[in-house]
């Protein structure tokens, strides 16, 4: 890997003329630098802590003393402190605060800076303008950046694993039957109300409705001897669509849930993913590594972030820190081809899961498709390779991959009170 000091040295010499970030992005960077300086000098402490499932989701932060927060909490701290704003409520998926997957979905709605530069025009977009929203800045707006190579200081990079959970992200590894059913109920409610922002803005109400759905389904499952997570996982392992479960429910005079519900439940049951994604703010320009170990175009971006670096010997490897992230360019459809079972038939659901979680020829085909693409598709996308690997190894859905988006906040500082009025 690249050491922290090495990454700083490389990034500082990567370009003789560094493009300037917007005034509002510079303020966010200045705040992040100040926090990290306090931590380095021992004036403040830090740790990586996920925010509670319910509640307002405010950061566990005492300015100047303690910075205990997760990745999206740290970015929200910078954005909210500098501008006084939060992401629009309609961007939230299953919490009262934005997580990495919510930032990804928000960035997808934005017009891109590359298109504006090419067309020599300014496309306001539907949700990108923040008119008269901040007392300190004017002309505030968000823009999407389509390439890691175009990242500037202050840009925000967010990525997640795609799936059918709320927010089109992955289901988190469940701890109980109740957790599975609640995640699936939330995902169905989110999809049913997608586009109806009046409903999505009331996350607490969605949770209440999901709780009611969950309790009814749990009661029905107990009547057919499915009382634990293991019971449900065993029943769905080779029965992808839960057909046998629905037949059993109907024979007992209970309401069947349908193949879509059980397909999502199976996806949640088999997930071993521990988090929905990650989000960072670029602290310097990206520098090109040339090609990675699989021959893909690769860049490293120095970052400010809150993270938990496992198996890391350096001090302060938990919480807010300076770090770096490497990103690679891969074909749009880089996934393993369908694998036949030894008997020449298509594999069952259970066999497909075993294939995906072992070092099989499918992994070799995946690596080849990272370079050549599938069926000659020459389109490319940017990905975070470790997250892409987790999507393949730890998630049961064949279509899942790392979804990465980049956002840029633009805005000019208000110089005097007359300009503010």
């Amino acid at each position: 890997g690249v050491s922290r000091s090495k990454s700083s040295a490389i990034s500082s010499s990567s370009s003789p003329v560094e493009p300037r970030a917007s005034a509002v992005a510079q303020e966010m960077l200045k705040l992040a630098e100040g926090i990290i300086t306090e931590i380095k000098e021992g004036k403040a402490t830090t740790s990586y802590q996920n925010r509670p499932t319910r509640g307002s989701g405010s950061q566990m932060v005492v300015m100047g003393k303690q910075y205990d927060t997760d990745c999206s909490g740290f970015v929200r701290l910078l954005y909210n402190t500098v501008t006084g704003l939060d992401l629009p409520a309609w961007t939230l998926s299953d919490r009262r605060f934005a997580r990495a997957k919510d930032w990804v979905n928000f960035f997808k709605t934005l017009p891109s800076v590359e298109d504006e530069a090419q067309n020599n025009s300014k496309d306001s977009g539907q949700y990108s303008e923040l008119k008269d929203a901040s007392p300190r800045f004017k002309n505030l707006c968000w823009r999407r950046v389509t390439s890691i190579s175009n990242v500037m200081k202050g840009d925000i990079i967010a990525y997640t694993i795609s799936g059918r959970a709320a927010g089109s992200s992955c289901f988190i590894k469940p701890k109980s039957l109740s957790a599975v059913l609640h995640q699936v109920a939330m995902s169905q409610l989110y999809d049913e109300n997608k586009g109806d922002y009046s409903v999505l803005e009331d996350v607490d109400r969605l949770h209440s409705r999901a709780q009611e759905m969950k309790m009814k389904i749990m009661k029905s499952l107990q009547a057919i001897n499915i009382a634990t997570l293991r019971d449900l996982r065993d029943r769905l392992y080779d029965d992808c669509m839960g057909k046998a479960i629905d037949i059993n429910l109907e024979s007992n005079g209970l309401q069947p849930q349908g193949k879509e519900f059980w397909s999502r439940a199976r996806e949640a049951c088999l997930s071993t993913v521990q988090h929905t994604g990650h989000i960072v703010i670029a602290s310097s320009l990206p520098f090109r590594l040339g090609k990675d170990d699989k021959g893909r175009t690769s860049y490293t971006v120095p970052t400010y972030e809150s993270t938990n670096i496992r198996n890391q010997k350096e001090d302060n490897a938990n919480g807010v820190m300076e770090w770096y992230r490497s990103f690679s360019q891969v074909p749009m459809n880089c996934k393993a081809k369908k694998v036949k079972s030894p008997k020449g038939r298509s594999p069952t659901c259970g066999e497909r899961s075993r294939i995906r979680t072992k070092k099989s020829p499918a992994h070799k085909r995946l690596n080849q498709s990272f370079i050549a693409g599938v069926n000659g598709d020459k389109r490319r996308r940017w990905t975070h390779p470790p997250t892409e690997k987790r999507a393949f190894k730890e998630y049961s859905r064949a279509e899942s991959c790392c979804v990465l988006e980049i956002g840029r906040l633009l805005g000019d500082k208000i110089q005097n009170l007359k300009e503010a009025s």
Side-chain angles (χ1 to χ4, degrees), residues 110-160:
L110 306 176
S112 72
V113 293
E114 291 87 350
D115 287 344
E116 286 185 352
Q118 184 176 0
N119 300 328
N120 195 26
S121 64
K122 187 173 182 180
D123 179 7
S124 63
Q126 189 175 4
Y127 302 109
S128 55
E129 305 300 330
L130 305 171
K131 296 178 181 178
D132 303 324
S134 173
R136 297 181 56 203
F137 297 93
K138 61 180 180 179
N139 303 323
L140 276 179
C141 63
W142 281 100
R143 290 294 181 268
R144 179 171 170 257
V145 181
T146 60
S147 175
I148 289 289
S149 61
N150 294 336
V151 163
M152 292 173 52
K153 289 178 65 174
D155 285 355
I156 295 174
I157 306 170
Y159 47 92
T160 186

Side-chain angles (χ1 to χ4, degrees), residues 111 126 244 257 263 312 373 415 419:
Q126 189 175 4
Q257 297 302 314
S263 176
Q312 183 64 40
Q415 301 297 333
E419 188 176 0

Side-chain angles (χ1 to χ4, degrees), residues 129-399:
E129 305 300 330
L130 305 171
K131 296 178 181 178
D132 303 324
S134 173
R136 297 181 56 203
F137 297 93
K138 61 180 180 179
N139 303 323
L140 276 179
C141 63
W142 281 100
R143 290 294 181 268
R144 179 171 170 257
V145 181
T146 60
S147 175
I148 289 289
S149 61
N150 294 336
V151 163
M152 292 173 52
K153 289 178 65 174
D155 285 355
I156 295 174
I157 306 170
Y159 47 92
T160 186
I161 294 175
S162 61
R164 287 184 291 176
S168 302
S169 183
C170 59
F171 290 102
I172 299 301
K173 181 180 180 180
K175 296 181 180 179
S176 64
L177 177 63
S178 175
V180 167
L181 298 179
H182 192 86
Q183 285 193 76
V184 175
M186 281 294 293
S187 74
Q188 286 198 321
L189 290 172
Y190 179 87
D191 287 350
E192 288 172 4
N193 295 284
K194 192 176 292 185
D196 187 349
Y197 301 138
S198 63
V199 175
L200 294 181
E201 287 175 356
D202 194 349
V203 176
D204 287 340
R205 184 180 176 187
L206 286 178
H207 273 292
S208 298
R209 290 175 60 187
Q211 180 75 8
E212 294 174 4
M213 292 172 60
K214 176 188 73 175
M215 296 307 295
K216 290 180 181 178
I217 298 170
M218 284 188 70
K219 188 175 181 180
S220 297
L221 292 180
Q222 288 172 358
I224 59 172
N225 299 319
I226 300 178
T228 66
L229 174 60
R230 183 172 183 175
D231 292 340
L232 181 60
R233 185 185 290 126
D234 290 345
R235 295 283 288 272
L236 291 174
Y237 193 71
D238 288 319
D239 183 13
C240 298
M241 303 302 174
K243 185 176 180 180
I245 298 177
D246 275 344
I247 291 174
N248 203 346
L249 287 171
E250 284 186 301
S251 65
N252 284 270
L254 300 170
Q255 178 69 36
Q257 297 302 314
K259 63 181 183 180
E260 178 63 25
F261 180 90
W262 295 120
S263 176
R264 293 184 189 222
R266 183 182 182 279
E267 185 178 324
C269 283
L270 297 180
S271 173
T272 58
V273 178
Q274 300 287 348
H275 55 81
T276 59
H278 194 53
I279 184 169
V280 302
I281 181 169
S283 62
S284 186
L285 296 179
F287 54 91
R288 184 166 182 172
L289 296 178
K291 305 289 184 180
D292 65 8
D293 58 350
K294 293 182 175 61
R296 305 169 297 196
T297 301
S298 182
Y299 282 81
T300 289
V301 181
T303 63
Y304 297 140
E305 59 183 275
S306 180
T307 188
N308 185 12
I309 307 296
R310 296 174 183 172
N311 301 321
Q312 183 64 40
K313 295 181 180 179
E314 296 188 47
D315 295 333
N316 296 327
N318 179 7
V320 177
M321 66 178 77
E322 294 179 271
W323 199 238
Y324 58 88
R325 297 285 166 175
S326 294
F327 304 96
S328 296
Q329 197 174 33
V330 301
M332 187 67 70
N333 297 311
C334 56
K335 55 189 178 186
K337 297 177 182 178
K338 188 175 182 180
V339 180
K340 294 289 185 181
S341 70
K343 296 180 182 179
R345 58 175 172 77
S346 296
T348 64
C349 298
E351 287 171 338
R352 279 199 293 272
S353 297
R354 289 191 288 272
I355 287 169
R356 289 176 61 81
T357 54
K358 292 182 180 179
K359 289 186 176 181
S360 68
H363 279 71
K364 294 181 180 179
R365 280 192 286 274
L366 179 72
N367 292 337
Q368 291 169 1
S369 69
F370 268 138
I371 301 171
V374 176
N375 299 325
D377 190 347
K378 296 183 179 181
R379 294 176 301 164
R380 294 291 185 267
R381 63 181 172 87
W382 287 95
T383 188
H384 181 243
T387 303
E388 190 85 31
K389 185 177 180 181
R390 279 198 298 272
F392 184 74
K393 294 183 66 177
E394 300 178 13
Y395 208 62
S396 61
R397 192 164 184 253
E399 297 83 0

